[in-house]
C-alpha cells in the first residue's frame, strides 16, 4: 500500500499595507499583512487546515513579525481596521524589533 502525504503553507496578503520604519534595514517601507495557513494533504487533496497565523512583513528586507492571533483575525475580517490601527501596528513593530535587536547583539 502506498500513501502520499504532505504539509504545505499558504500565504494570503491582506490589503492595504501599512507604512512604518524597519530597524533591521533602516528604511521607512510598506509592511504587508499576511495570513499564513498550514495545510495537511493526502494524495494532493487538502484534508486539514490548521489555525492561521498572521504576519506583518517588511517590503524591503522581508523581516517577518508574528501578530497576536486575535489582532490578526480582527484585521483580516475588516481590512479598514488596518488603516485605523496603523499607529498601534507601527508601535508593535518598533517594540518587537527593539527586543530582537537587543537580544541578537547580546548573543
Amino acid at each position: 500500500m502506498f500513501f502520499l502525504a504532505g504539509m504545505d503553507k499558504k500565504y494570503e496578503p491582506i490589503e492595504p499595507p501599512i507604512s512604518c520604519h524597519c530597524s533591521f534595514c533602516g528604511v521607512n517601507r510598506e509592511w504587508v499583512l499576511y495570513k499564513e495557513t498550514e495545510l495537511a494533504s493526502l494524495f494532493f487533496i487538502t484534508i486539514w487546515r490548521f489555525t492561521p497565523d498572521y504576519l506583518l512583513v517588511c517590503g524591503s528586507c522581508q523581516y517577518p513579525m508574528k501578530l497576536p492571533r486575535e489582532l490578526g483575525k480582527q484585521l483580516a475580517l475588516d481590512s479598514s481596521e488596518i488603516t485605523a490601527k496603523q499607529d498601534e501596528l507601527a508601535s508593535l513593530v518598533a517594540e518587537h524589533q527593539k527586543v530582537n535587536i537587543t537580544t541578537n547583539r547580546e548573543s
Side-chain angles (χ1 to χ4, degrees), residues 38-76:
E38 196 163 351
L39 310 167
S41 62
L42 183 63
F43 295 110
F44 304 104
I45 299 171
T46 301
I47 58 170
W48 189 263
R49 292 177 190 264
F50 294 92
T51 305
D53 287 321
Y54 298 91
L55 305 169
L56 269 176
V57 179
C58 174
S60 180
C61 66
Q62 304 302 309
Y63 175 82
M65 187 197 110
K66 190 182 240 185
L67 288 178
R69 195 168 280 149
E70 288 302 316
L71 177 60
K73 187 175 181 179
Q74 178 185 7
L75 295 173

Side-chain angles (χ1 to χ4, degrees), residues 11-28:
Y11 295 92
E12 298 173 48
I14 300 170
E15 297 291 330
I18 67 162
S19 181
C20 67
H21 181 76
C22 178
S23 299
F24 283 100
C25 62
V27 178
N28 272 349

Side-chain angles (χ1 to χ4, degrees), residues 4-16:
L4 188 59
M7 298 290 289
D8 194 17
K9 288 188 180 185
K10 178 178 162 186
Y11 295 92
E12 298 173 48
I14 300 170
E15 297 291 330

